[in-house]
Amino acid sequence: MESCRRAGVSGLLCSLSLLCVLLDIQLDGVLGATHVEIEHHLEMGRKLLAAGQLAEALSHYHSAVEGDSKNYLTFYKRAAVFLAMGKSKSALPDLARAIELKPDFLAARLQRGNILLKQGNTQEAREDFEAVLQRSPNHPEAHDQLMKTNELEELQEDANAAYHQGDYSTTINVLERAIEICPWDPESRELRAECYIRMGDPQKAIQDLTPTTRLRNDNRVAFLKLSMLHYSLGEHRESLNHIRECLKLDQDDKECFGHYKQVKKLSKQLDSAEELIQEGRCQDAIDKYESVMKTEPNILYYTNLAKERICFCLVKLNLAPEAIDACSEAHQRDPRNANILRDRAEAYILLQDYEKAVEDYQEAREFDGDNGDIREGLERAQKLLKVSRKRDYYKILGVSRSANKQEIIKAYRKLAQQWHPDNFQSESEKKEAEKRFIDIASAKEVLTDPEMRQKFDAGEDPLDPESQQGGGGGGGQRGWPFHFNPFESGGSFHFKFEYN
């Protein structure tokens, strides 16, 4: 202030001059610190990138760009990290900024041209490659990429021409080479997917459409088409997942919302039906599968599935005639379905038609030879067939395989009274009655004993010495239970029936 006074400068002006000097000193200090920080971020970004720690490297390059938005190399390096992370769309703005700051930066132009070519953007890619060749006419990579650009344009023209002529096979072949050059181009994959759909190959269409949901922003069309393709294949859960992704992008999308309601309703019915089966509520499950066929009558898969599961439920309910009708209809619709053949075989077993059961199990084994349940079922059916040719206790009493103990005892009492030897006069009739009576008593003995009945149901006769001893010397002679025959004495053995 004293020097200002001596120089004849007013106090106010002097104060302003001093303030400006102080601000300049502080600003220089800040700029110096910022430069040091930027260099630190760049160095850390380089080290982390080399170590493969991409997210951490990107964070440091973000800080470097914020500190100095005029350094073209900083943008270029951050673009390199984006590319290493597979985020080519994010790399493009950084490469464009680097080129804007330094138009003769050939590495950035070449990198941007490569990305644009992979995205199928031949016009802008060509501009970058030609710009590189203009400054470096003998640049080998730029020359090769420009040739690929020309090839891709020709392939795209050929593919579109073949598609419009309805030659979908040729279109697919041409696009195969095109997609090798531009794997990030959604249009090429969408066109090939459309060809696969028209040729009846929805699985391959799904493979092409799936990446387009990431390659194109807000690709609701792809999510809807994927949902519909999965739905048509019977993959209702995958269908529901894709249509939900569509609604995440726009909850008011009418097409997506309409399809969502249909898929959700059907998916809920299918899941509910299987839950009912797990709970043993098979009749309710049948009703639910009837609803499934009403909800979606047009897609064959869901009708076939419903018919198959109704067949299964009827077997579980021991409704053998109804099960055979339902299983036979399901078999006509889906002749190679081993599950349907298995279930119909079980229905035949319920009806004691073991020959047909064996036939169905053998056919099922042809379609699913590794299925343990089918192998076990075939062995059981064969055993039952073998036993039935000797003595079938259910047929002897005239009861079904699902008969309870009370029904078995009732049938036994009726037949025992009918075939009691005392009811017959001639010697031949008495002998025939004795044989029938022994069989009736044996049947009652086996079928009212849980352990013996379980063995018989598994295809083993618990009263057959051959069956019990693995083919030993009994010779299969029919015997009275526990080796007791009341008629061997030739006398007057009388029976008293207890009705209590």
Side-chain angles (χ1 to χ4, degrees):
M1 292 293 289
E2 185 62 31
S3 60
C4 288
R5 201 175 290 111
R6 283 198 296 269
V9 179
S10 69
L12 179 59
L13 289 174
C14 189
S15 297
L16 288 171
S17 298
L18 289 171
L19 181 60
C20 288
V21 170
L22 289 171
L23 286 172
D24 284 342
I25 293 170
Q26 290 176 1
L27 188 58
D28 287 342
V30 170
L31 289 174
T34 303
H35 179 72
V36 171
E37 289 174 3
I38 290 170
E39 288 299 320
H40 169 72
H41 286 305
L42 289 172
E43 179 63 18
M44 288 300 298
R46 184 188 66 78
K47 288 181 178 179
L48 291 166
L49 178 59
Q53 296 175 256
L54 303 181
E56 294 82 352
L58 184 62
S59 178
H60 282 286
Y61 280 121
H62 282 329
S63 299
V65 167
E66 290 171 3
D68 184 3
S69 61
K70 301 294 184 182
N71 188 333
Y72 71 95
L73 276 175
T74 306
F75 284 99
Y76 181 73
K77 290 175 180 177
R78 187 170 71 172
V81 180
F82 277 129
L83 287 172
M85 297 175 75
K87 297 180 178 180
S88 57
K89 289 182 182 178
S90 299
L92 279 177
D94 277 357
L95 291 171
R97 179 61 175 155
I99 294 167
E100 181 185 346
L101 292 169
K102 188 172 174 58
D104 61 347
F105 188 16
L106 300 187
R109 279 198 178 274
L110 186 63
Q111 190 67 271
R112 185 175 68 175
N114 288 338
I115 295 172
L116 293 169
L117 178 60
K118 287 183 177 181
Q119 291 180 341
N121 189 340
T122 55
Q123 183 177 346
E124 292 185 26
R126 179 189 300 280
E127 292 173 1
D128 276 336
F129 297 140
E130 288 178 345
V132 173
L133 290 170
Q134 187 175 1
R135 292 179 180 274
S136 180
N138 297 320
H139 197 293
E141 186 179 351
H143 181 269
D144 290 345
Q145 293 300 88
L146 184 58
M147 294 291 289
K148 282 187 179 180
T149 304
N150 294 332
E151 181 187 0
L152 179 58
E153 286 181 338
E154 292 178 6
L155 290 168
Q156 288 171 335
E157 290 177 5
D158 291 345
N160 283 313
Y163 177 77
H164 288 300
Q165 291 171 3
D167 189 351
Y168 306 122
S169 180
T170 298
T171 307
I172 288 170
N173 291 333
V174 172
L175 286 173
E176 185 174 351
R177 170 56 185 158
I179 291 172
E180 288 178 7
I181 299 173
C182 58
W184 302 338
D185 174 26
E187 289 185 10
S188 295
R189 292 184 179 275
E190 287 165 353
L191 181 59
R192 190 167 68 175
E194 188 61 33
C195 291
Y196 282 130
I197 291 171
R198 291 176 181 269
M199 292 179 69
D201 195 342
Q203 292 286 6
K204 287 187 177 178
I206 288 171
Q207 291 174 10
D208 264 337
L209 282 173
T210 299
T212 69
T213 60
R214 300 185 298 273
L215 295 171
R216 192 191 295 279
N217 293 330
D218 190 12
N219 200 347
R220 281 173 285 158
V221 173
F223 279 121
L224 176 59
K225 193 169 285 188
L226 280 167
S227 178
M228 295 176 76
L229 286 169
H230 280 294
Y231 183 81
S232 70
L233 291 170
E235 298 164 356
H236 59 97
R237 294 186 184 88
E238 291 85 348
S239 175
L240 194 58
N241 291 337
H242 282 297
I243 205 63
R244 281 171 172 160
E245 291 299 321
C246 178
L247 291 173
K248 285 180 184 177
L249 295 170
D250 182 0
Q251 62 181 5
D252 296 322
D253 188 297
K254 289 184 179 179
E255 282 191 274
C256 287
F257 186 68
H259 186 59
Y260 167 74
K261 288 194 296 184
Q262 171 70 6
V263 179
K264 186 179 179 182
K265 180 179 180 180
L266 183 70
S267 187
K268 186 176 180 180
Q269 288 175 337
L270 289 167
D271 289 341
S272 175
E274 286 304 307
E275 288 173 7
L276 290 168
I277 289 175
Q278 293 299 319
E279 294 169 4
R281 298 165 60 190
C282 287
Q283 185 57 57
D284 291 335
I286 290 172
D287 296 339
K288 189 64 69 173
Y289 272 116
E290 294 285 355
S291 299
V292 165
M293 291 188 284
K294 292 176 183 177
T295 299
E296 182 46 79
N298 300 317
I299 293 179
L300 192 62
Y301 173 87
Y302 297 108
T303 301
N304 288 354
L305 174 64
K307 297 284 186 184
E308 174 191 338
R309 299 306 279 162
I310 288 172
C311 154
F312 173 83
C313 289
L314 288 169
V315 174
K316 290 295 182 184
L317 290 168
N318 293 322
L319 299 173
E322 295 89 340
I324 287 172
D325 289 343
C327 294
S328 296
E329 181 185 354
H331 178 57
Q332 286 182 338
R333 289 173 162 273
D334 192 0
R336 300 179 65 85
N337 190 319
N339 292 333
I340 295 171
L341 287 163
R342 175 204 63 200
D343 294 337
R344 190 171 69 175
E346 289 299 315
Y348 280 130
I349 287 174
L350 289 172
L351 288 179
Q352 303 172 40
D353 192 341
Y354 305 121
E355 288 187 10
K356 287 185 179 179
V358 169
E359 289 174 5
D360 271 356
Y361 265 124
Q362 286 174 334
E363 189 177 351
R365 186 178 58 179
E366 291 177 11
F367 301 131
D368 192 0
D370 296 329
N371 189 309
D373 289 340
I374 289 174
R375 286 200 305 271
E376 184 275 330
L378 176 58
E379 291 173 4
R380 180 164 44 84
Q382 288 170 333
K383 283 183 179 179
L384 289 168
L385 177 60
K386 183 179 178 181
V387 168
S388 71
R389 287 170 176 167
K390 297 180 179 178
R391 196 161 40 168
D392 187 330
Y393 296 123
Y394 290 105
K395 283 186 176 180
I396 289 169
L397 293 183
V399 296
S400 70
R401 297 187 71 85
S402 59
N404 58 36
K405 187 173 182 179
Q406 184 178 1
E407 291 170 329
I408 290 166
I409 292 174
K410 181 179 179 181
Y412 160 72
R413 286 170 176 165
K414 180 179 178 181
L415 290 170
Q417 285 181 323
Q418 178 183 343
W419 288 98
H420 193 287
D422 290 349
N423 296 334
F424 299 89
Q425 301 301 319
S426 71
E427 192 65 28
S428 61
E429 288 179 340
K430 277 186 177 290
K431 284 186 178 181
E432 177 62 25
E434 285 178 11
K435 290 178 182 178
R436 294 292 293 270
F437 197 89
I438 290 172
D439 283 344
I440 291 165
S442 298
K444 180 255 186 185
E445 195 68 36
V446 170
L447 297 183
T448 55
D449 183 291
E451 185 176 347
M452 295 174 76
R453 183 175 181 178
Q454 185 177 6
K455 285 183 178 181
F456 183 74
D457 286 344
E460 176 184 337
D461 187 346
L463 300 183
D464 182 5
E466 181 181 343
S467 175
Q468 293 299 297
Q469 298 172 14
Q477 181 181 357
R478 296 185 180 187
W480 189 266
F482 309 113
H483 309 287
F484 168 68
N485 186 341
F487 304 112
E488 283 183 351
S489 62
S492 57
F493 188 90
H494 298 281
F495 291 88
K496 182 180 179 182
F497 295 97
E498 300 291 343
Y499 294 92
N500 52 14

